[in-house]
Amino acid sequence: MITIRRAILEDATSISFLGKKTFDQSFGHLFNDRGDLIDYLDTTFSHKKIAGSIAKAHNVYWIVFDEVTPIGYAKLQLNSPCSFIDHDNACKLQKIYMLKGTSSKGIGSRLQQVIFTKAIEEGSKYLWLSVLKGNERAIAFYNRNDYHVVGEHPFVIGKQKFDFWVMSKELV
């Protein structure tokens, strides 16, 4: 049975693990230098950093379980304007990741609905995110959920440069 609930500080260890694992599963093959990837994972998904992020009032995390096993998570950053959106009431879907082998079960759509509901409750008119230009599966998912490309930006990890689309969705 799949359950989605708001994450709490005690979930930091699980989210740290999921962050490292899912990022590596999704993007690890793109790195020429595995050391750059490991440094990024250790910094970005450290227990301390995740715990600090969960504790911030403008961040909302959810964690997804299959029975008792954590299999995914999402992070919404409230009140996060975007230079590509001509509106101040926006929030950012900063992270949404599921372990490999758990997609195509409708979990992402369920998680999106939870995120949409929270964003609307907080008064946001737009939801935006960054997605790797070559991540066709994710882009197709976001297109199905009425996101549209509104801009692009680079992102550098170590010696690797990645190009991202900025996609947004108007919330109703």
Side-chain angles (χ1 to χ4, degrees), residues 150-164:
V150 295
E152 60 185 283
H153 68 87
F155 188 72
V156 176
I157 300 174
K159 296 175 280 306
Q160 297 279 152
K161 179 182 170 262
F162 300 95
D163 293 314
F164 283 79

Side-chain angles (χ1 to χ4, degrees), residues 20 24 31 33-44 157:
K20 290 175 183 178
D24 189 16
F31 283 81
D33 182 343
R34 186 93 179 141
D36 285 345
L37 173 64
I38 291 168
D39 289 345
Y40 177 77
L41 296 176
D42 288 346
T43 302
T44 303
I157 300 174

Side-chain angles (χ1 to χ4, degrees), residues 4-136:
I4 300 170
R5 70 162 169 79
R6 181 123 175 221
I8 57 174
L9 195 54
E10 289 76 14
D11 295 316
T13 299
S14 293
I15 292 172
S16 174
F17 167 78
L18 287 167
K20 290 175 183 178
K21 183 75 172 172
T22 58
F23 191 92
D24 189 16
Q25 287 177 337
S26 298
F27 307 111
H29 67 282
L30 299 174
F31 283 81
N32 296 326
D33 182 343
R34 186 93 179 141
D36 285 345
L37 173 64
I38 291 168
D39 289 345
Y40 177 77
L41 296 176
D42 288 346
T43 302
T44 303
F45 299 106
S46 73
H47 180 274
K48 182 178 180 180
K49 187 165 184 175
I50 296 296
S53 184
I54 290 172
K56 292 179 181 174
H58 68 277
N59 292 335
V60 182
Y61 281 81
W62 291 270
I63 189 164
V64 181
F65 294 89
D66 186 351
E67 299 296 333
V68 297
T69 305
I71 61 168
Y73 76 103
K75 176 185 177 186
L76 180 68
Q77 214 172 31
L78 303 173
N79 302 316
S80 184
C82 175
S83 60
F84 298 106
I85 300 171
D86 191 22
H87 204 286
D88 288 338
N89 291 346
C91 56
K92 180 180 183 184
L93 177 52
Q94 191 169 28
K95 299 185 184 334
I96 183 168
Y97 289 110
M98 302 295 296
L99 288 174
K100 197 171 196 163
T102 62
S103 59
S104 302
K105 296 181 180 181
I107 302 167
S109 294
R110 285 179 52 196
L111 189 52
Q112 282 278 345
Q113 281 310 126
V114 171
I115 292 163
F116 296 159
T117 299
K118 180 64 176 172
I120 291 168
E121 282 174 6
E122 294 293 327
S124 294
K125 301 293 182 202
Y126 290 89
L127 183 62
W128 67 278
L129 56 86
S130 293
V131 61
L132 185 68
K133 285 185 178 182
N135 192 344
E136 308 227 351

